[in-house]
Amino acid sequence: GLEVVYLWRTEATLLFAFIVIFRTFDFMSDWANWAIALQSTAFVDGAPNIGVDPEATAWAALAFNIIGTLLWIPDMRALFNEGRSELTLAIIPLEDIPQLIFAGIYVGAVLTTEQYGEDGDPCVYVGPLPLDPVVIVSLVGSSIGLLINCGLSCSDDDMTLSG
């Protein structure tokens, strides 16, 4: 199991605080990914390049963000009150994995959209559109969140994050 639990029992409160802050940041970056990146012109223009409907993708992302929010509130409450949450295992397929998929769809859509036009010449190839930094943050956050949640889910049953 993950040694995070043992460290909390040995007064490693900073590590516990890091996990809570990181999970909160990951939660917020998922909403930012939906609100900013999946609504962007770059994504809307590039989604057909990979055979994806941008509107359906945005609606699906919104649905998973709502599910993630509904799970996040009791999950955080349980972590604070009991030191562990039974919801962590549900968060992996209902929040972490979908967010990785949405970030991957965005990256694929944007990187397959080519830009032309430099110095007023529309025939000059500039390259693919740049990625929105929000997506990179969301992708990294969801990846690390997935690792943390897997570690917490696989820890021994008799270990908790509370003292």
Side-chain angles (χ1 to χ4, degrees):
L2 189 65
E3 299 303 318
V4 171
V5 179
Y6 172 75
L7 292 172
W8 174 253
R9 286 186 166 221
T10 59
E11 305 300 313
T13 55
L14 288 177
L15 186 55
F16 179 75
F18 168 77
I19 290 172
V20 171
I21 289 170
F22 182 80
R23 288 175 77 171
T24 302
F25 180 76
D26 177 38
F27 164 77
M28 292 184 303
S29 73
D30 294 340
W31 275 102
N33 185 41
W34 169 77
I36 298 169
L38 294 180
Q39 309 298 324
S40 70
T41 303
F43 175 70
V44 172
D45 291 346
N49 295 341
I50 59 170
V52 172
D53 178 355
E55 188 174 335
T57 303
W59 279 108
L62 176 61
F64 280 103
N65 280 343
I66 292 170
I67 291 167
T69 300
L70 295 174
L71 291 173
W72 181 80
I73 295 167
D75 183 53
M76 287 291 107
R77 183 176 293 136
L79 280 175
F80 280 120
N81 295 336
E82 302 162 20
R84 90 179 282 113
S85 173
E86 298 299 323
L87 290 174
T88 300
L89 191 58
I91 288 172
I92 294 169
L94 294 175
E95 193 271 333
D96 291 329
I97 293 173
Q99 294 306 329
L100 288 171
I101 292 169
F102 293 127
I105 290 171
Y106 171 87
V107 169
V110 171
L111 291 182
T112 60
T113 304
E114 299 174 340
Q115 296 183 87
Y116 289 89
E118 188 174 296
D119 297 327
D121 185 355
C123 296
V124 175
Y125 176 69
V126 178
L129 291 173
L131 294 175
D132 191 318
V134 168
V135 175
I136 304 303
V137 169
S138 181
L139 185 60
V140 170
S142 292
S143 298
I144 295 171
L146 178 63
L147 293 174
I148 289 172
N149 288 338
C150 285
L152 290 174
S153 296
C154 297
S155 65
D156 295 336
D157 289 339
D158 62 337
M159 299 173 83
T160 63
L161 286 172
S162 63

